Amino acid sequence: MRKSVSRHTRQKDVMLQGLRECEGFVSAQDLHRRLSDEGLNIGLATVYRQLRSLEEVGSVDTIRLNGQQMFRICEDNGHHHHLICERCGRTVEIEPPDEQWLRHIASDHGFTMTSHTLEVFGLCPDCQRRDDADHAGADTQVQTAAQAGAQTVA
Amino acid sequence: MRKSVSRHTRQKDVMLQGLRECEGFVSAQDLHRRLSDEGLNIGLATVYRQLRSLEEVGSVDTIRLNGQQMFRICEDNGHHHHLICERCGRTVEIEPPDEQWLRHIASDHGFTMTSHTLEVFGLCPDCQRRDDADHAGADTQVQTAAQAGAQTVA
DNA sequence: TTACCTGCAAACGCTTTGCATCATA
DNA sequence: TATGATGCAAAGCGTTTGCAGGTAA
């Protein structure tokens, strides 16, 4: 069993560049489209493969939103959580909750904690403003895509 | 615009019964298979449709695990979170984190919080024991399905 | 020259939908 | 009897994979 060495390719650069240009989380498909629009040709499969390996190494962190996996570059390592705008995907990192507390809760039930997720969804200042403007005109349809999405709990 | 009235059907009963028999979260497919095995015929599409409407009403809560949506009956309303065994899906409800704190964090960044997720993954006592037994034999492959799954952050 | 990486397209798994039929109220 | 619910199969969607050709080292 030989250890394979990762090679440097144009596509990898393109990927990182694309990720860095994003403010918040992007889906694989969006990232691919965005790169294609810039004329930086790269296969969709490659985007997925690259994102997966970046995830494994911990260079991107991911969440699930609207049935898709969303990715965000993350140069620093270490565990953190996000405050996410459910409209535009803009992201702010927030401090982790008290992990000791979580671990404690787990062991109270005989569980050994291995991991946890915490995501806070909301509207960023800009989208809020835009939202208010919209409401001034027509004010039906309160439900947003993200709220309709799976994993979020009110 | 007339309000449509929900009808009582055999399938709905079967669904609820099936859900009640589950200790933790089940996927739609598993639930369907489980019911079929019991001879309670019900279409897969119906299972999905039913789960969706139960979710809308708040009678089930859901999480995402391994790329599937998992469902769990939840007779009480009110927001809560879960401690989930990543091996067998067994679930324990835990108290919500300090929501005021989350809301505060959000507004610190100009966000309006609309929702949040918190899931704690681990091994339940039983699976832990089973795991130890396995390790006594072969002790390779540490990675579990759930750890490899998307939304979990180490 | 080796073997990792890429692109394409086909395959996949979960979920949703169109439509004809069934059955509740 | 009217119309919401169901079942089937097909379609949809995001994601993964097989494979032949490309390319870094």
Side-chain angles (χ1 to χ4, degrees):
Chain A
M1 190 174 177
R2 173 98 57 91
K3 179 180 181 182
S4 64
V5 183
S6 163
R7 286 182 185 169
H8 177 214
T9 64
R10 181 185 65 84
Q11 287 85 340
K12 288 182 184 172
D13 286 343
V14 165
M15 282 286 301
L16 287 177
Q17 179 190 331
L19 281 170
R20 291 214 184 83
E21 285 172 0
C22 296
E23 271 218 12
F25 283 89
V26 235
S27 67
Q29 314 255 4
D30 275 353
L31 181 56
H32 176 246
R33 196 172 318 121
R34 195 181 287 225
L35 293 173
S36 298
D37 288 352
E38 293 184 40
L40 304 166
N41 300 329
I42 182 172
L44 178 57
T46 304
V47 170
Y48 274 106
R49 276 189 281 240
Q50 215 55 248
L51 284 173
R52 183 130 64 93
S53 66
L54 286 173
E55 181 187 353
E56 273 161 16
V57 180
S59 298
V60 298
D61 39 41
T62 81
I63 57 168
R64 278 233 157 226
L65 196 56
N66 306 327
Q68 323 191 131
Q69 190 165 8
M70 311 279 289
F71 303 83
R72 178 176 192 267
I73 202 162
C74 140
E75 317 267 16
D76 73 65
N77 39 15
H79 185 41
H80 53 258
H81 298 282
H82 299 102
L83 172 58
I84 304 143
C85 176
E86 54 188 13
R87 187 83 92 235
C88 69
R90 201 166 119 188
T91 303
V92 178
E93 294 188 5
I94 58 182
E95 320 90 85
D98 189 340
E99 308 226 356
Q100 268 334 99
W101 173 64
L102 293 177
R103 212 172 287 281
H104 193 71
I105 289 182
S107 67
D108 274 357
H109 297 279
F111 279 59
T112 310
M113 177 176 113
T114 56
S115 61
H116 67 271
T117 350
L118 170 66
E119 307 297 346
V120 183
F121 296 95
L123 287 180
C124 73
D126 293 349
C127 289
Q128 228 166 286
R129 213 169 297 128
R130 202 170 316 138
D131 217 39
D132 289 346
D134 286 0
H135 273 304
D139 61 271
T140 8
Q141 40 162 316
V142 196
Q143 183 105 338
T144 70
Q147 281 170 336
Q151 75 193 313
T152 48
V153 194
Chain B
M1 191 173 175
R2 175 96 56 87
K3 180 181 183 183
S4 64
V5 182
S6 163
R7 285 182 187 173
H8 177 214
T9 63
R10 183 185 63 84
Q11 287 84 339
K12 288 183 183 172
D13 285 344
V14 165
M15 283 285 301
L16 287 176
Q17 180 189 330
L19 280 170
R20 291 214 183 83
E21 285 170 0
C22 295
E23 273 219 10
F25 283 89
V26 236
S27 66
Q29 314 258 359
D30 275 353
L31 181 57
H32 176 248
R33 196 173 317 121
R34 194 181 289 224
L35 293 173
S36 298
D37 288 352
E38 292 183 41
L40 303 166
N41 301 330
I42 183 173
L44 178 56
T46 304
V47 170
Y48 274 105
R49 277 189 279 238
Q50 214 55 246
L51 285 173
R52 184 131 61 92
S53 65
L54 287 172
E55 181 187 353
E56 273 162 16
V57 180
S59 299
V60 299
D61 39 43
T62 80
I63 56 168
R64 279 231 157 227
L65 197 56
N66 307 327
Q68 321 190 138
Q69 191 166 6
M70 312 278 291
F71 304 83
R72 177 176 193 267
I73 202 161
C74 140
E75 316 267 18
D76 74 61
N77 40 14
H79 184 42
H80 52 257
H81 298 282
H82 300 103
L83 172 58
I84 303 144
C85 176
E86 53 189 13
R87 187 83 92 235
C88 69
R90 201 166 118 188
T91 303
V92 178
E93 293 189 3
I94 58 183
E95 321 91 84
D98 187 340
E99 307 226 358
Q100 269 333 98
W101 174 65
L102 293 178
R103 213 172 288 280
H104 193 71
I105 290 182
S107 68
D108 273 357
H109 296 281
F111 279 59
T112 309
M113 179 175 111
T114 54
S115 61
H116 67 273
T117 353
L118 171 66
E119 308 296 347
V120 184
F121 296 95
L123 287 180
C124 73
D126 294 350
C127 289
Q128 228 167 285
R129 214 170 295 127
R130 202 171 315 137
D131 215 41
D132 289 347
D134 287 0
H135 273 305
D139 61 90
T140 10
Q141 41 161 315
V142 196
Q143 184 104 340
T144 71
Q147 282 172 335
Q151 75 192 311
T152 48
V153 194

